[in-house]
Amino acid sequence: MIRVVVVHQTQLIANIIASVLSEEPDIEVVGTAITAAETLAKVEESQCNIVLTAASLPDGAALTLTKAIALDFPQTKTLIIGVPESESVIMKYVMAGASGYVLQDVGVEQLLDHVRATYHDEALVSPAMVSALIHKVAQLAQISSQHELDPQAIVDLTARERDVLNLIGAGLSNRKIGEQLVIEVGTVKNHVHNILKKLKVNDRREAASYLPLLEKNEWQNASGLKKK
């Protein structure tokens, strides 16, 4: 039996999704939640197989939640729903520990296919996304092998610099980073300069090699949600 917790910031929508899933003989909805903290409590209580999380959770909570579940409940898979068809956005969730994603325009039958695939450790992704993931893993492995990473350097980054580094790793330009963070391009350039200086690297690609350390540090911080 596939045991699912449904997460959406609107309780009514969470209930509707839960109702649809509950009609399937092989799926049991063991809870719904509207916040990250509530979700983590439900996961611990229910020992669910899958957390079905809306990408639209406010303040980046879907990403934070994904990281926390990967750290604290490795036996539970996270499936992100309502994701835009953007390689950089999808990559963020995959690198955070998501087991799968469902695009915004997907119907009920496809959603059910994704839930079952995730439960069976399968991923329904496009060939282009598979290629991008392979390239990303190979790139990070190569860079990490060429540079000795300093864990303390990550700790020295400010919260905003961490945001910028995450977006650098997703392949965004300074202009795109500025649009996403709602800051000026000149401000982004200053942050990038500070990041390169603190990490003691020469370019954005080398800075991206620190992302695994950054994610580990953020997971440790996010796991504190469980104890609140």
Side-chain angles (χ1 to χ4, degrees):
M1 181 66 72
I2 307 173
R3 296 165 57 81
V4 179
V5 169
V6 178
V7 187
H8 196 283
Q9 69 271 25
T10 303
Q11 186 65 62
L12 176 60
I13 296 178
N15 290 345
I16 292 172
I17 296 173
S19 177
V20 170
L21 294 176
S22 296
E23 293 179 359
E24 300 301 306
D26 58 336
I27 299 176
E28 178 186 3
V29 176
V30 294
T32 62
I34 61 174
T35 67
E38 184 183 0
T39 303
L40 292 173
K42 290 283 178 69
V43 172
E44 184 172 30
E45 175 187 339
S46 67
Q47 297 295 302
C48 61
N49 307 120
I50 297 174
V51 174
L52 195 65
T53 304
S56 56
L57 292 181
D59 302 321
L63 191 64
T64 300
L65 180 59
T66 300
K67 294 175 181 179
I69 290 173
L71 178 66
D72 290 331
F73 305 100
Q75 77 284 357
T76 300
K77 302 177 178 67
T78 304
L79 180 61
I80 310 297
I81 60 173
V83 179
E85 196 167 3
S86 163
E87 181 181 303
S88 62
V89 173
I90 293 170
M91 191 71 72
K92 270 198 311 183
Y93 286 110
V94 171
M95 293 183 68
S99 297
Y101 64 91
V102 182
L103 297 177
Q104 292 173 331
D105 57 353
V106 163
V108 171
E109 289 303 319
Q110 289 173 293
L111 171 61
L112 294 172
D113 288 342
H114 278 275
V115 170
R116 293 184 175 107
T118 300
Y119 177 73
H120 292 292
D121 294 320
E122 299 170 356
L124 302 180
V125 299
S126 67
M129 197 62 220
V130 171
S131 176
L133 287 169
I134 292 174
H135 175 73
K136 189 69 174 180
V137 171
Q139 182 186 57
L140 289 177
Q142 180 182 21
I143 294 173
S144 297
S145 66
Q146 294 173 347
H147 301 278
E148 184 175 352
L149 305 183
D150 176 15
Q152 184 58 41
I154 285 294
V155 177
D156 292 339
L157 295 180
T158 66
R160 179 58 84 189
E161 288 166 353
R162 291 174 180 229
D163 292 338
V164 172
L165 180 56
N166 269 314
L167 296 176
I168 288 174
L172 272 65
S173 66
N174 285 348
R175 182 176 63 82
K176 289 292 185 183
I177 292 173
E179 290 174 358
Q180 184 147 340
L181 299 179
V182 196
I183 56 178
E184 298 294 331
V185 173
T187 304
V188 176
K189 290 180 179 179
N190 289 336
H191 285 313
V192 172
H193 173 77
N194 291 336
I195 290 169
L196 299 183
K197 182 177 179 181
K198 289 181 179 181
L199 299 184
K200 299 178 182 178
V201 295
N202 298 314
D203 55 38
R204 298 161 77 96
R205 191 181 70 166
E206 290 182 10
S209 67
Y210 273 84
L211 280 172
L213 288 180
L214 177 62
E215 289 160 7
K216 179 180 179 181
N217 184 269
E218 289 180 341
W219 286 342
Q220 290 171 340
N221 292 336
S223 66
L225 288 170
K226 178 184 171 185
K227 300 178 178 63
K228 292 182 180 179

